[in-house]
Amino acid sequence: MPTRRRFTLGLAATALAGAGAYAAGRVFVGRAAAYSTAELSQTAVPAPAREVAVSLMPAPRATALPAFGGHALPLWSFAPGDVFPNVVRLRFGETLVATVENGIPEGQEDLTVHWHGVRLPNAEDGVPYLTQKPIPFGSRFTYRFTPPDPGTYWFHTHCNTAESIGRGLIGVLIVEGDETRPYDADQLLCLKDWRVGTDGAAGGFLPFLTDSGASKAGTFGALRTVNGAVSPRFALPAGGDVRLRLINVDPTRVPEIGIEGAEAAIVAVDGAGIPPVPFKTWRLGPAMRLDLVVRMPPTGGEVRVVDYFAAEPVVLSTLVATGDTLARGAFDPAPLVRPAIPEPDLGAAERMPFVFSATAAGAAVGGADGIPFGPLCASEKTFWAINRAPWPNRGHAVLPPPLADLKRGRSYVFELANVTPHVHPIHIHGHTWRVVKSSAGPVIPHFADTVLVAPKERVEVAFVADNPGDWMLHCHIIEHQETGMMGFLRVA
Ligand code: C2O
Ligand code: CU
């Protein structure tokens, strides 16, 4: 097989309406307009098999992103350059061969790379101790897998993650080949806040994990960015249908995304295509992705991507209609392909309750003092639990029992119940759920690997446990994960 390198450092694209209709990010109140695509029929056609070799060199690097106002901050990154995020692109059908060399001498001894949302073989899942040994400083490990689905994904470490994501150690993985008709442009919007003080980047980073944050909604970064810049402007084709790939890589913030100044439609959630749905707003929790198609206004017009979950809407980015206005007719966005994710058999599915709760505040669970991270990189404090069991902090290589044993090939309905006063984006590894229903109201039918569960809400997700191995189930507010809201499922 021919091997070629394709590691896009940086971004290809040029740098240059009412909230609240959806409760909890998923609820769909009335169909304001309908598009011609009611069902996805086309499936993805694989590109010729070949390997795409990528080398990832996680290391500390002083990095001056546009948002840092001329200062360089001690970031951790996968490749050199004042660029955020690093993007790996491959085509559906191609095999990613990613060689990771751990160049982080301190604070990331348990480094592995987790490919968030990809339904890959367990040995490639990148969870230290659970699926592989950590990659020691100075050593290499090669991941090799062929993504089974096209779409928008990302990758990050799975230990000391509050610090490593806090320092920017994330990458975006785009698997092309899901479009049934090409859009006029493809724009990545990677959302991340940085933990710097109100005086900006000059003072360096503030602590990434705090007890007061971890025990509540998390520790927020004050410097809000898209692709490493504050409210960047992007020049996009006037009158065109533009694909926006929104990815929230922040460990904490749950924005409510809105679009002002244009019609927009949702075409995929967490990488998986859905029949286009008129877009109102969407709560995009940590790790969640949303692909929108936006109809750009005529030349010179502007579209704002905003976060409504704030006292005043925050403009995250502005899209500027550029060039001669394209004549595209009435807005009827092209759909993406139909996901190849197996459909759970709801009638035959076994139901399992998962209750997300707080523990007695800050109870310590074993672990020697001064050792901040345990076997799966949990903090020494515990604030959260799944089915009353917090992740225990014990000696290396000692895993707790699985939260559940699942039979390979069987359908399951997980009832996710949040009995805390905070939202939790709950993530499953190795599988993709169908979001079936919510106690908060009707749900847009979609697949997801990370689902937001609001306080007092109960969300039902269903899936076929078709991927053997031990798979993490955890909250993606990373401080919640690292203080107990984490466990694993065993599929055999
Ligand atoms: Cu992106 Cu286990 O997570
Ligand atoms: Cu949480």
Side-chain angles (χ1 to χ4, degrees):
M1 272 204 275
T3 292
R4 78 204 144 99
R5 309 210 141 242
R6 197 192 292 157
F7 188 26
T8 319
L9 291 175
L11 302 157
T14 40
L16 182 80
Y22 302 89
R26 290 181 309 278
V27 177
F28 178 51
V29 184
R31 205 172 174 99
Y35 305 123
S36 61
T37 308
E39 251 175 65
L40 302 180
S41 47
Q42 243 167 282
T43 51
V45 180
R50 58 168 153 185
E51 296 183 343
V52 176
V54 160
S55 42
L56 302 175
M57 297 167 292
R61 294 183 180 94
T63 304
L65 298 182
F68 299 160
H71 300 279
L73 284 181
L75 262 57
W76 294 351
S77 57
F78 283 111
D82 289 333
V83 154
F84 182 88
N86 293 138
V87 179
V88 174
R89 274 185 182 263
L90 64 159
R91 290 195 58 77
F92 177 62
E94 293 179 333
T95 298
L96 180 65
V97 182
T99 301
V100 179
E101 181 171 346
N102 182 4
I104 300 177
E106 271 173 64
Q108 200 63 49
E109 292 83 358
D110 292 307
L111 189 137
T112 56
V113 175
H114 169 60
W115 309 90
H116 184 112
V118 182
R119 301 183 299 125
L120 39 57
N122 195 248
E124 311 299 326
D125 195 45
V127 179
Y129 309 104
L130 193 70
T131 70
Q132 69 171 98
K133 291 210 184 76
I135 310 168
F137 172 62
S139 300
R140 289 180 185 191
F141 182 88
T142 299
Y143 296 90
R144 167 191 286 268
F145 59 90
T146 312
D149 311 293
T152 308
Y153 303 91
W154 66 296
F155 52 96
H156 57 79
T157 69
H158 219 281
C159 184
N160 190 17
T161 316
E163 177 171 14
S164 91
I165 294 182
R167 290 185 185 275
L169 188 61
I170 66 99
V172 169
L173 173 65
I174 291 176
V175 184
E176 297 170 349
D178 56 0
E179 295 182 3
T180 57
R181 234 171 40 222
Y183 302 112
D184 295 306
D186 184 324
Q187 177 65 54
L188 174 66
L189 301 175
C190 181
L191 279 51
K192 181 180 170 355
D193 306 339
W194 303 86
R195 279 282 296 153
V196 297
T198 41
D199 52 339
F205 282 128
L206 301 171
F208 298 105
L209 196 149
T210 64
D211 284 359
S212 59
S215 60
K216 299 194 182 77
T219 306
F220 290 84
L223 182 60
R224 304 196 58 184
T225 66
V226 171
N227 300 352
V230 178
S231 303
R233 294 167 70 82
F234 298 102
L236 293 163
D241 283 352
V242 169
R243 179 179 190 170
L244 299 182
R245 299 178 190 259
L246 288 130
I247 310 186
N248 182 4
V249 303
D250 195 71
T252 311
R253 194 176 300 268
V254 186
E256 181 167 4
I257 301 295
I259 298 282
E260 293 183 346
E263 272 189 276
I266 305 174
V267 292
V269 178
D270 285 359
I274 61 171
V277 174
F279 178 64
K280 303 276 192 251
T281 71
W282 192 269
R283 285 206 78 190
L284 193 71
M288 294 164 70
R289 288 90 66 215
L290 188 69
D291 285 53
L292 301 178
V293 174
V294 172
R295 168 59 61 86
M296 290 298 291
T299 311
E302 296 191 351
V303 179
R304 283 168 307 284
V305 182
V306 298
D307 173 11
Y308 288 117
F309 202 78
E312 294 287 323
V314 176
V315 178
L316 300 171
S317 177
T318 302
L319 318 177
V320 183
T322 305
D324 292 341
T325 304
L326 303 170
R328 290 281 178 265
F331 184 54
D332 189 14
L336 297 175
V337 297
R338 181 157 51 85
I341 300 159
E343 279 293 345
D345 178 346
L346 292 179
E350 184 177 334
R351 302 180 73 86
M352 290 190 169
F354 290 88
V355 178
F356 298 85
S357 64
T359 58
V365 274
D369 287 343
I371 300 173
F373 297 101
L376 267 165
C377 316
S379 165
E380 70 269 34
K381 293 224 175 117
T382 296
F383 298 113
W384 307 101
I386 303 177
N387 286 347
R388 292 230 184 80
W391 186 275
N393 181 20
R394 285 184 269 163
H396 275 46
V398 181
L399 295 172
L403 290 167
D405 281 291
L406 309 182
K407 263 209 198 66
R408 186 177 177 183
R410 191 146 190 204
S411 291
Y412 291 88
V413 173
F414 282 9
E415 303 167 0
L416 311 175
N418 178 357
V419 299
T420 79
H422 302 285
V423 293
H424 300 288
I426 303 302
H427 172 49
I428 186 173
H429 285 210
H431 299 80
T432 307
W433 288 319
R434 176 168 274 300
V435 179
V436 178
K437 64 165 124 160
S438 157
S439 60
V443 160
I444 296 174
H446 69 279
F447 287 107
D449 55 64
T450 307
V451 68
L452 207 59
V453 189
K456 298 203 178 88
E457 191 184 8
R458 179 182 291 270
V459 176
E460 289 189 12
V461 291
F463 69 113
V464 183
D466 62 344
N467 202 353
D470 288 345
W471 301 104
M472 297 296 290
L473 177 78
H474 63 85
C475 180
H476 223 290
I477 288 177
I478 302 296
E479 287 165 286
H480 293 174
Q481 175 193 2
E482 291 186 341
T483 57
M485 201 176 272
M486 163 167 69
F488 71 94
L489 307 162
R490 180 162 289 159
V491 178

